Amino acid sequence: MLEGQVALVTGGGRGIGKAIALRLAREGADIAIIDMNREGAEATGRDVSGLGRRIAVHQADISDPAAVQATVRAIVTELGRLDVLVNNAGIEKRSPFLEISADDWKRQIDVNLSGTFYCTQAAAAEMSKRGYGRVVNISSVAGVIGPIDLAAYGASKAGVIGLTRAAALDLADFGITVNAISPGPVETELMLGAWTAEALRERPQHGAIARFGTVDEIAQVVAFLASPDSAFITGINVSVDGGAVAAGAYMVEKYRRRKAAAGS
Ligand SMILES: NC(=O)c1ccc[n+]([C@@H]2O[C@H](COP(=O)([O-])OP(=O)(O)OC[C@H]3O[C@@H](n4cnc5c(N)ncnc54)[C@H](O)[C@@H]3O)[C@@H](O)[C@H]2O)c1
């Protein structure tokens, strides 16, 4: 689907971003990675090379607009073009609402929302020169429904969905589509670091499909939205969440009933 194209994946050093980078490489794209974690990004780079694709690895913080601009320009110089941007890098810090520090609030907005904007603006400037581009933003179900103890994260991810719509309208005339994907719970280091053992046990039971998603289940939706085949789709948010958003509070009730039935 992506033969001859170049795809930039932020946060490609591990987790969902790594799966996305490898999936897009299997579809034929050369890959660029921006990640703060150089070791992880280089490890993904070796896997991409093993698939026979070119790779550009850059260590940078997406919340630094000057660094993002310089890095995107360097990537285009190295790989010759830019067709796809996947805004995947993100951070999550769980705290009760009354205990969220101003620094934690600001950092999550800076990385998850402002970082997505800086990368999109820098990439779109390159894509617009050739009149073609695909931007895929990784939001979260926490940006669609009200999360608990995740106000900064939820607000930043809701912001990403709003930014997706706005950018879709502003960039359509340049041949660039912009869409979002909102994963439900996917077992990665981010989630294992942020969730309690109890939440890890119970949370996946609240979707219609009662399990964690896999990184590959997110990556394959990215691959479609990153491809020329998705040409008439822009400004949408696709929940890839095992039916968690569709179920809402009803699945919590079903989970309680299942638990009660199992105990009786
Ligand atoms: N895991 C889940 O259940 C889940 C659910 C919904 C949404 N998401 C979203 O998916 C994305 C990937 O999540 P993951 O679980 O793979 O996370 P992860 O923590 O395993 O990986 C995130 C990667 O992004 C990089 N990164 C973080 N901040 C950065 C910055 N400022 N600049 C550059 N790189 C940075 C990290 O070094 C890391 O390699 C995130 O946006 C996250 O919010 C994850």
Side-chain angles (χ1 to χ4, degrees):
M1 286 202 290
L2 300 175
E3 206 62 53
Q5 297 197 6
V6 172
L8 165 57
V9 182
T10 67
R14 70 178 198 186
I16 294 171
K18 178 172 190 166
I20 293 168
L22 294 177
R23 176 63 194 244
L24 300 185
R26 279 191 205 98
E27 295 294 341
D30 292 329
I31 303 293
I33 292 174
I34 298 180
D35 201 304
M36 281 177 50
N37 169 5
R38 178 180 291 281
E39 249 173 53
E42 282 174 351
T44 304
R46 285 190 289 278
D47 292 348
V48 168
S49 300
L51 293 168
R53 306 293 166 210
R54 292 186 301 155
I55 175 79
V57 169
H58 289 264
Q59 184 177 29
D61 180 343
I62 58 159
S63 71
D64 175 344
V68 165
Q69 287 226 349
T71 306
V72 168
R73 271 199 300 271
I75 287 166
V76 173
T77 304
E78 269 174 275
L79 298 178
R81 55 193 279 167
L82 184 59
D83 304 277
V84 174
L85 166 67
V86 184
N87 283 305
N88 162 83
I91 54 169
E92 171 180 330
K93 185 157 182 202
R94 184 169 287 278
S95 314
F97 192 91
L98 296 180
E99 293 168 25
I100 298 170
S101 70
D103 282 350
D104 284 346
W105 169 268
K106 197 167 178 314
R107 182 69 187 150
Q108 287 173 86
I109 301 291
D110 283 353
V111 174
N112 298 349
L113 179 54
S114 303
T116 297
F117 169 70
Y118 301 141
C119 291
T120 303
Q121 195 184 43
E126 296 297 336
M127 292 166 172
S128 65
K129 292 177 192 165
R130 296 179 45 250
Y132 178 88
R134 295 278 180 271
V135 178
V136 184
N137 296 327
I138 306 299
S139 177
S140 167
V141 292
V144 180
I145 50 181
I148 293 170
D149 292 344
L150 281 174
Y153 181 77
S156 71
K157 292 297 190 177
V160 167
I161 295 170
L163 173 63
T164 300
R165 293 192 193 108
L169 298 191
D170 285 347
L171 298 175
D173 289 348
F174 301 100
I176 301 169
T177 65
V178 187
N179 293 292
I181 293 175
S182 288
V186 177
E187 205 171 327
T188 64
E189 284 167 69
L190 174 138
M191 166 178 285
L192 295 174
W195 288 28
T196 63
E198 192 196 4
L200 285 170
R201 214 169 32 250
E202 295 208 345
R203 179 69 170 74
Q205 307 295 327
H206 297 168
I209 300 168
R211 63 167 174 81
F212 285 107
T214 68
V215 292
D216 290 331
E217 285 170 329
I218 307 304
Q220 63 200 25
V221 183
V222 173
F224 170 65
L225 291 175
S227 77
D229 284 352
S230 64
F232 199 50
I233 301 174
T234 198
I236 64 157
N237 175 50
V238 185
S239 291
V240 183
D241 67 347
V245 169
Y250 287 105
M251 281 310 297
V252 178
E253 176 57 22
K254 185 167 173 183
Y255 174 63
R256 281 201 197 103
R257 288 183 198 175
R258 265 195 214 137
K259 234 170 117 175
S264 61

